[in-house]
Amino acid sequence: MGMDAHVDTLRPHVHTEAADIVRLQTILARRVLLIFALPLLVIAVLGAYAYRLSNRVQTLEVAQRNDEALRRINVVERIMQKYPTQAWAIHEYEEVAKEYPHPQVLVRLGALYYGDGRPEKALAVLDAAKARDPTYWEIYSTAAYMYLDQGRIEPAIAAGEHALTLNPWDAQTYNNLAWLYTTQAEVRDLAKAQAYISNAIDYTRGRDPNTLSTLETLLEAYAETGQIDRALETLEEALTRVGRYGTAPASLYRRLDALREQQASVWKE
């Protein structure tokens, strides 16, 4: 047997030993990985669970505080309906706002301040509500009323129109702006006022006396400018709208008769 044959007989043994070494290294590597990586994996999983649990606890605590705040608000509003004690209600809402400064709470607090003769503080609270949620429509609706009450026409219109872009079903703001567009010479727009009154009637189902009062004011404005036909058309349309939801007030029918008499006298002339 030559040298080549001897080498050939050794090759299988060499290959076997090399394979054994590779397998041994693989086994050792896996064990090292299990020894060091598994605890790290366990720590990571437990850490993630603890983080989620902490967030869940915080969420539940916030929800609990919010529920308590809402219950307190409901109690305050029920008491206010029977015993309108302004100072006490302001104190209660101030306490609620500390724990639950939701824009709705701040808007209500601002309205209470305004009713208590503190308009600057009321508007400051509305600004705080706006900083928390600039898309909350009631901030602007309430501001529009306050500006209107102060005779600040331009900011009232700006706030009111913005409120309607955020909530196109805000009947109170439609009514307030209709009154402005009817009574204020510098911004008078009777056609726009008529459209806004129609919306207010629809969204209150014809039951808001303030809207019907604004309608009366609009009819007077039409009559004063000699637009009797337009006044009649507006009133007849309003009566149709109100009639969808119930019986219109007798005062509107008396106004209808008066306008028809005016129209007849104009035709005679």
Side-chain angles (χ1 to χ4, degrees):
M1 180 181 296
M3 181 61 69
D4 291 339
H6 179 69
V7 170
D8 289 339
T9 60
L10 290 177
R11 281 174 183 166
H13 298 288
V14 172
H15 291 165
T16 301
E17 290 176 0
D20 290 342
I21 291 171
V22 171
R23 282 196 297 272
L24 181 59
Q25 289 175 338
T26 302
I27 292 170
L28 289 174
R30 288 175 178 172
R31 290 182 178 178
V32 169
L33 184 63
L34 288 174
I35 291 171
F36 291 100
L38 185 59
L40 293 176
L41 179 61
V42 171
I43 291 171
V45 171
L46 291 176
Y49 175 76
Y51 177 76
R52 289 196 300 271
L53 182 61
S54 174
N55 282 346
R56 178 61 177 164
V57 169
Q58 290 178 1
T59 301
L60 289 174
E61 289 176 350
V62 170
Q64 185 177 6
R65 288 199 301 270
N66 292 351
D67 287 344
E68 291 173 357
L70 292 174
R71 282 195 293 271
R72 189 169 182 177
I73 289 170
N74 288 333
V75 170
V76 173
E77 292 299 330
R78 285 200 299 270
I79 293 175
M80 282 284 290
Q81 289 176 0
K82 295 183 178 180
Y83 311 102
T85 53
Q86 194 89 351
W88 173 80
I90 288 173
H91 171 74
E92 290 297 307
Y93 266 94
E94 286 174 339
E95 292 301 310
V96 170
K98 292 176 184 177
E99 295 292 329
Y100 184 64
H102 188 277
Q104 187 174 4
V105 173
L106 296 176
V107 168
R108 179 65 172 130
L109 179 58
L112 288 169
Y113 281 140
Y114 194 83
D116 197 44
R118 291 184 271 177
E120 292 182 1
K121 193 163 188 175
L123 290 169
V125 171
L126 294 186
D127 286 338
K130 192 187 305 181
R132 288 192 166 273
D133 184 0
T135 65
Y136 185 58
W137 65 272
E138 202 168 358
I139 298 169
Y140 307 95
S141 177
T142 304
Y145 167 78
M146 293 179 183
Y147 289 135
L148 184 153
D149 188 61
Q150 295 172 358
R152 300 169 63 182
I153 307 305
E154 290 185 3
I157 290 177
E161 293 290 359
H162 189 59
L164 294 179
T165 64
L166 297 172
N167 178 16
W169 301 277
D170 179 8
Q172 177 181 332
T173 297
Y174 277 121
N175 179 65
N176 289 339
L177 290 180
W179 188 86
L180 278 175
Y181 290 135
T182 299
T183 62
Q184 304 303 306
E186 63 269 34
V187 294
R188 174 170 281 189
D189 186 339
L190 299 184
K192 195 168 189 177
Q194 180 181 345
Y196 279 15
I197 287 174
S198 296
N199 287 339
I201 290 173
D202 283 340
Y203 300 145
T204 60
R205 302 181 66 83
R207 296 174 183 172
D208 182 12
N210 292 326
T211 299
L212 299 181
S213 175
T214 302
L215 172 62
E216 293 266 13
T217 304
L218 174 62
L219 296 175
E220 290 175 5
Y222 275 135
E224 288 173 2
T225 56
Q227 301 181 67
I228 305 300
D229 291 344
R230 190 64 181 272
L232 265 173
E233 175 189 327
T234 300
L235 180 52
E236 288 169 351
E237 180 190 354
L239 286 170
T240 300
R241 289 179 180 276
V242 174
R244 296 172 187 167
Y245 312 110
T247 304
S251 60
L252 290 182
Y253 287 103
R254 288 195 295 270
R255 169 72 70 173
L256 180 64
D257 292 338
L259 286 172
R260 284 173 175 168
E261 289 178 5
Q262 283 183 271
Q263 186 185 56
S265 64
V266 170
W267 286 347
K268 288 179 181 179
E269 295 175 359

